[in-house]
Amino acid sequence: RLHDMDGVVNTVCTFVIGVNGYAKRCTEVRVADNRRYDWRFKYDRSGYLTSLDAAGDECEFEYVDGNLVAYTNWCDGEETYVFTYSSLSSFGYMPYFQSPGYIEADYGPILPLAYFAGLVGRPSKNLPSVCDVYVDDEYVRSYEYRYVFNNDGELVNMYY
């Protein structure tokens, strides 16, 4: 259940978990107008999310050596985000939550919340160092990531 700022339930999500332990479907119901949206998730054999269909809005994810190297979002045209990685451990971080094409902007809070609940696959192995952005196969720009760690070596913030 997702709540608004006043604590009123505005969205109810019901997940169906597959044999791999991750969500394979989600039904999202918006309480105000009783609108229903169906989500579908697919994974590779290692448990990495490879595709998402959120009520017709699609996104595909590509992994190499345990890292998300690219994702393409067809929500508003074709946008592709290509990642280069550092050797730093990921701390469970997924690049699509803090990339220039922050996926929540297109898919709302359900995907990040499901990820943090452990429902939508494994995280990347390392932290990204660069993200190159393409729109309709044309290069737009690059973003360089910078990280802040506390005295215990824990990741506390990131910038690009």
Side-chain angles (χ1 to χ4, degrees), residues 51 74 157:
S51 71
W74 286 278
N157 211 339

Side-chain angles (χ1 to χ4, degrees), residues 31-42:
V31 174
D33 57 8
N34 206 33
R35 291 185 70 161
R36 175 188 165 129
Y37 302 91
D38 293 314
W39 296 57
R40 303 264 186 262
F41 306 91
K42 292 183 183 173

Side-chain angles (χ1 to χ4, degrees), residues 40 58 64 66 71 76 93 126-127 138 140-141:
R40 303 264 186 262
E58 297 179 11
V64 173
Y71 75 87
D76 295 316
Y93 164 83
N126 301 103
L127 290 172
E138 290 195 29
V140 175
R141 71 171 292 181

